[in-house]
Amino acid sequence: MTSTSIRPQRAIIGGEISSTAETYEAVRGGDGVVRPAAGNVSLVAHEGVVVRPLHRVSPSEPALVWRRDDIRPLVRGYVEACRSALAGTAGSGGFASKIK
């Protein structure tokens, strides 16, 4: 499966969110929507934000994606942290081998 088979056009990224507070402000301000994990709903469900359950939507699998040539320490550190975390879950559903 390729990205073009899922989305025929390139995604348009209007901004990047780096915290829960920024997520709340972006959603409250009408700049975007968010599909939080069930355990994170309470972090964005405050004044001015309406939360609705999604029905008939299959569970999602998070994906970590980065540019191959991105050498920023924060990006590389996060990738390595994910690899380490997934390696620690071997045998219990971890997918460490999928992070390349």
Side-chain angles (χ1 to χ4, degrees), residues 29-97:
D31 294 330
V33 297
V34 65
R35 181 181 175 194
N40 293 338
V41 169
S42 64
L43 300 175
V44 294
H46 297 289
E47 180 182 336
V49 174
V50 176
V51 178
R52 301 278 188 247
L54 294 176
H55 299 288
R56 296 185 303 264
V57 176
S58 61
S60 61
E61 181 176 309
L64 176 61
V65 182
W66 68 97
R67 291 187 308 272
R68 187 174 288 150
D69 62 345
D70 193 333
I71 60 170
R72 291 178 291 173
L74 186 59
V75 172
R76 289 296 170 186
Y78 189 74
V79 170
E80 290 306 316
C82 289
R83 282 187 177 133
S84 295
L86 291 172
T89 62
S92 63
F95 296 98
S97 63

